[in-house]
Amino acid sequence: MAEEQVPTEELRETPLAALHRELGARMVPFAGYAMPVQYPAGIMAEHLHCRAGAALFDVSHMGQGELSCAAGLEQAAAALERLTPADVLGLRPGRQRYALLTGEEGGILDDFMVTNLAGSANGDRLFLVVNASRKAHDFERIGAALPPGVRLRRREDRALLALQGPGAAGALATLAPEAAPAVAELPFMGVTELRLGRVEAIVSRSGYTGEDGFEISVPGEQAEGFARDLLALPGVLPAGLGARDSLRLEAGLCLYGSDIDETTSPVEAALVWSIGKRRRTAWDFPGAERVRAELAEGPRRLRVGIRPEGRQPARAHTPVQAAPGGATIGATIGEVTSGGFGPSAGGPVAMGYVARAQAADGTPLALSVRGRSLPAAVAPLPFVPHRYHRARA
């Protein structure tokens, strides 16, 4: 996880900043905010606790917004589809979808979540969550593309918390017993609006750790009290950006600005599944020409998992080379985009891009680290199996 170098006096803070400091967090600049990278327990302990119990992350730096239209939510969905290959019109009420904003050249401008909140007591709307480093760009781009009658409302008044791990559902049930049935029935990528204790919240069963869990949007002025209520429960501990990064890497999930950016296409990034089936018929989204050509002919490179041998992690920007013959380092065929030690995987893990011809699982690679050639191999993703809560048949 790269730390953004921003002068301290220019950093913004989330509604939980005072609580982070009270809990002993080490704060670092990230996406223009002062954010907790770890607490006294340390990144390793926070990571493993998320896999075993329930970890609470502050992700309030991310951008939240709503699209609405008096003439019907379909118009808002159609407007958003002008900017993304996701099937927004086909998104059912109470469901959330991972989506990409693509540029005219086929690169990824951001990845985001879109939720259909039709039928809500608070009005029909599409709820958006975008990356912190891109939210100004994203909301400007979305707002400029909206036709008359479709409204974008930025929700800077709201905070966002992620409660992740196998103990997350039990923690919410303990905090708000009256909401327990609704929480238990919520499937992965399902969303509901309900009262959790003293707070009216938008609750999605999702997250970026590979574990079961929830992302909870609450009014900013109530965020600290809500977080304190959660942290007072047995088995709930705070976790920072360091553990969030190692968890999402083990889960094989992309970080914008590292694994995907304006130069990478959805095909190269192995995110074709996010392109709606209907959208592959019309090809009417930005960058469709490049995406269509890469699907037909194959991309130049592909995002893959990489398992270095031994115990030394391969960090971002490490050159990836063809397996060397003898002591000679082979030709460079790609680069590591995210890498580190995987506490649950029991060793170093990485993701990166390699030439398509060397992208098959098991392909031997070499990582060039300080002039040395370290052996590695292409590995299937995720490194740790996902444990999302799937709906029962």
Side-chain angles (χ1 to χ4, degrees), residues 182-227:
V183 168
E185 294 171 4
L186 200 65
F188 178 59
M189 299 298 270
V191 183
T192 187
E193 293 181 273
L194 46 74
R195 189 170 187 83
L196 295 175
R198 298 167 288 179
V199 178
E200 294 290 343
I202 301 171
V203 181
S204 66
R205 199 157 200 166
S206 59
Y208 228 57
T209 62
E211 295 292 330
D212 183 25
F214 304 86
E215 292 180 313
I216 308 166
S217 174
V218 301
E221 68 273 11
Q222 295 179 290
E224 182 177 324
F226 181 64

Side-chain angles (χ1 to χ4, degrees), residues 143-167:
L146 299 180
V150 178
R151 179 192 179 205
L152 170 63
R153 181 186 180 192
R154 294 185 61 167
R155 298 308 306 264
E156 295 184 355
D157 58 322
R158 300 190 70 85
L160 189 65
L161 290 78
L163 183 65
Q164 299 285 290

Side-chain angles (χ1 to χ4, degrees), residues 7 17 156 181 183 192 203 212 215 232 236 250 256 269 294 300 313 344 350 377 380 389 393:
E156 295 184 355
V183 168
T192 187
V203 181
D212 183 25
E215 292 180 313
V236 180
E250 286 187 340
Y256 191 84
E294 288 183 350
R300 178 179 58 85
S344 303
H389 181 74

Side-chain angles (χ1 to χ4, degrees), residues 83 85 100-110 141 256 260-269 271 275 283 285-294 299 301 353:
L83 304 174
L100 304 172
L101 286 176
T102 49
E104 297 302 330
E105 301 302 317
I108 300 171
L109 305 181
D110 199 8
R141 182 175 176 83
Y256 191 84
I260 52 176
D261 58 27
E262 296 182 12
T263 69
T264 54
S265 76
V267 183
E268 291 177 325
L271 296 174
I275 303 175
W283 299 108
F285 54 86
E289 183 177 348
R290 175 182 174 184
V291 172
R292 189 174 188 178
E294 288 183 350
R301 57 179 186 160
Y353 287 84

Side-chain angles (χ1 to χ4, degrees), residues 25-290:
R26 181 164 73 87
M27 307 295 283
V28 300
F30 185 80
Y33 284 78
M35 295 294 293
V37 69
Q38 68 179 78
Y39 297 86
I43 293 173
M44 176 84 75
E46 293 167 22
H47 176 115
L48 294 174
H49 184 79
C50 183
R51 295 274 187 242
L56 183 65
F57 300 84
D58 179 14
V59 287
S60 302
H61 59 312
M62 300 184 76
Q64 300 180 68
E66 297 173 346
L67 286 177
S68 60
C69 181
L73 203 55
E74 293 80 7
Q75 290 194 23
L80 187 58
E81 282 196 357
R82 298 175 186 172
L83 304 174
T84 175
D87 180 2
V88 185
L89 282 165
L91 184 60
R92 302 192 310 275
R95 296 295 296 169
Q96 179 174 250
R97 182 161 289 161
Y98 175 86
L100 304 172
L101 286 176
T102 49
E104 297 302 330
E105 301 302 317
I108 300 171
L109 305 181
D110 199 8
D111 57 346
F112 68 103
M113 304 297 283
V114 54
T115 298
N116 185 336
L117 291 178
S120 164
N122 296 310
D124 293 352
R125 61 208 192 279
L126 296 176
F127 187 70
L128 310 177
V129 178
V130 304
N131 281 301
S133 63
R134 300 293 289 171
K135 61 184 177 182
H137 168 275
D138 292 353
F139 287 137
E140 181 178 349
R141 182 175 176 83
I142 292 170
L146 299 180
V150 178
R151 179 192 179 205
L152 170 63
R153 181 186 180 192
R154 294 185 61 167
R155 298 308 306 264
E156 295 184 355
D157 58 322
R158 300 190 70 85
L160 189 65
L161 290 78
L163 183 65
Q164 299 285 290
L172 285 186
T174 301
L175 178 69
E178 69 283 355
V183 168
E185 294 171 4
L186 200 65
F188 178 59
M189 299 298 270
V191 183
T192 187
E193 293 181 273
L194 46 74
R195 189 170 187 83
L196 295 175
R198 298 167 288 179
V199 178
E200 294 290 343
I202 301 171
V203 181
S204 66
R205 199 157 200 166
S206 59
Y208 228 57
T209 62
E211 295 292 330
D212 183 25
F214 304 86
E215 292 180 313
I216 308 166
S217 174
V218 301
E221 68 273 11
Q222 295 179 290
E224 182 177 324
F226 181 64
R228 288 183 183 276
D229 289 345
L230 284 171
L231 291 170
L233 298 174
V236 180
L237 295 178
L241 293 177
R244 181 174 168 86
D245 193 52
S246 58
L247 288 159
R248 70 90 193 165
L249 175 56
E250 286 187 340
L253 303 174
C254 295
L255 175 65
Y256 191 84
S258 294
D259 308 297
I260 52 176
D261 58 27
E262 296 182 12
T263 69
T264 54
S265 76
V267 183
E268 291 177 325
L271 296 174
V272 174
W273 54 268
S274 70
I275 303 175
K277 183 178 180 181
R278 176 177 56 82
R279 310 307 306 283
R280 298 189 210 184
T281 301
W283 299 108
D284 57 354
F285 54 86
E289 183 177 348
R290 175 182 174 184

